[in-house]
Amino acid sequence: MSELVANLEKLRKQKKVNLARSAYEQIKEAIVYAKFKPGECLSENMLAEVLEMSRTPVREALKELTNEDLVEIVPGRGVIVKDISRKNLKEIFELRKVLECLAAETAIANLTEAEILNLENDWLTIMTKINQGEKVAWEHVSRCDNKLHSTIINNCDNSYLKDFMKILNQQILRYQLLTAQALDDVKDTVRQHLEIIKLLKERDPGALIPVLREHIELAERIILKGRF
């Protein structure tokens, strides 16, 4: 009997963890892709109802999102989606320019041909849709943008850099969506990404790094122009 009770307790805890993880992932995606706007109040009751679960896993999810600086607790208001400030944006991009270029130095030799072709296919598909007059969703552009940059980081040799950027990536995702929304010319951003991919194919870090840095700097300028 004691073993049965222990097993049931283990299952109960596992279900609780799974629900909290599900709540965390769904709320985070809604924040990152601007379904929940900066400054919006997130009610535990509302989220529990929408996600069809109790308040406990929602509360756990909000705690984790607070630790990741995506939400904050404001006295008198409750849990609020963290705003995106000019200072935060500039700090994130300062780190990106240094760390992504550092990652590229070793990643360029580690990327497989299949990974590079997969990235290239993403952007060629977007270009084809644009040329055919189809509308490409901002969310899709930002996902492809994040995929390319994450692939470079994940293939570098520096494990500490990868771990740090994994944490920072939650914030980067928000800015990449803002960049996509602020674009005047989607074709130009496709061209930029295809140029980066071309240099990845050529395995020449000396040529890649200045282009990658300019690409990140341009993204920063686009957001600052469109939002601040």
Side-chain angles (χ1 to χ4, degrees):
M1 178 65 72
S2 60
E3 185 178 350
L4 175 60
V5 171
N7 286 337
L8 288 173
E9 178 66 14
K10 184 177 178 181
L11 287 171
R12 186 186 68 78
K13 288 180 179 178
Q14 186 177 29
K15 182 178 180 182
K16 181 180 176 181
V17 169
N18 289 342
L19 283 172
R21 175 53 48 179
S22 175
Y24 162 79
E25 290 175 351
Q26 291 182 73
I27 297 168
K28 181 179 77 172
E29 180 154 322
I31 293 169
V32 165
Y33 290 107
K35 305 296 189 295
F36 294 143
K37 306 295 183 185
E40 187 171 343
C41 182
L42 300 182
S43 156
E44 284 184 14
N45 288 331
M46 176 273 290
L47 291 170
E49 184 178 345
V50 170
L51 298 174
E52 300 182 336
M53 58 180 68
S54 72
R55 289 171 57 188
T56 301
V58 169
R59 190 176 302 118
E60 291 299 315
L62 291 174
K63 283 181 185 176
E64 192 167 350
L65 292 165
T66 301
N67 293 335
E68 292 183 359
D69 213 27
L70 289 173
V71 302
E72 61 183 332
I73 299 172
V74 178
R77 292 189 64 193
V79 179
I80 307 298
V81 177
K82 192 103 181 252
D83 198 5
I84 298 171
S85 71
R86 183 185 182 93
K87 180 176 182 294
N88 292 152
L89 186 147
K90 290 187 76 65
E91 288 174 347
I92 292 287
F93 275 92
E94 282 174 7
L95 289 171
R96 285 191 64 191
K97 280 181 279 189
V98 174
L99 296 179
E100 290 192 31
C101 291
L102 179 61
E105 290 181 8
T106 53
I108 198 165
N110 298 332
L111 281 157
T112 66
E113 292 297 327
E115 285 175 310
I116 296 172
L117 288 173
N118 183 262
L119 294 171
E120 184 177 48
N121 184 61
D122 287 342
W123 292 97
L124 288 175
T125 299
I126 292 174
M127 182 63 86
T128 298
K129 288 182 178 179
I130 293 169
N131 289 337
Q132 292 174 347
E134 295 182 39
K135 183 170 178 160
V136 181
W138 291 328
E139 184 174 322
H140 181 63
V141 174
S142 68
R143 284 184 189 275
C144 289
D145 187 17
N146 187 259
K147 179 180 172 182
L148 188 151
H149 291 277
S150 295
T151 300
I152 292 173
I153 291 160
N154 292 338
N155 277 279
C156 82
D157 289 340
N158 191 318
S159 58
Y160 290 103
L161 188 157
K162 286 190 278 192
D163 288 342
F164 179 76
M165 289 300 290
K166 193 177 293 182
I167 296 169
L168 195 63
N169 194 49
Q170 312 311 316
Q171 297 294 337
I172 291 172
L173 277 166
R174 297 183 82 189
Y175 297 126
Q176 284 171 324
L177 178 66
L178 288 174
T179 305
Q181 290 174 329
L183 286 171
D184 293 323
D185 186 355
V186 180
K187 275 190 177 181
D188 187 57
T189 198
V190 175
R191 180 197 60 74
Q192 290 175 44
H193 286 89
L194 287 174
E195 174 65 13
I196 290 169
I197 292 165
K198 172 179 172 290
L199 295 171
L200 288 173
K201 279 183 177 180
E202 293 173 359
R203 313 283 181 176
D204 182 355
L208 170 67
I209 289 168
V211 172
L212 180 60
R213 183 180 294 109
E214 172 58 26
H215 170 72
I216 296 169
E217 289 173 348
L218 180 59
E220 181 182 11
R221 292 197 296 271
I222 288 170
I223 298 177
L224 288 173
K225 178 182 174 184
R227 185 175 176 85
F228 298 99

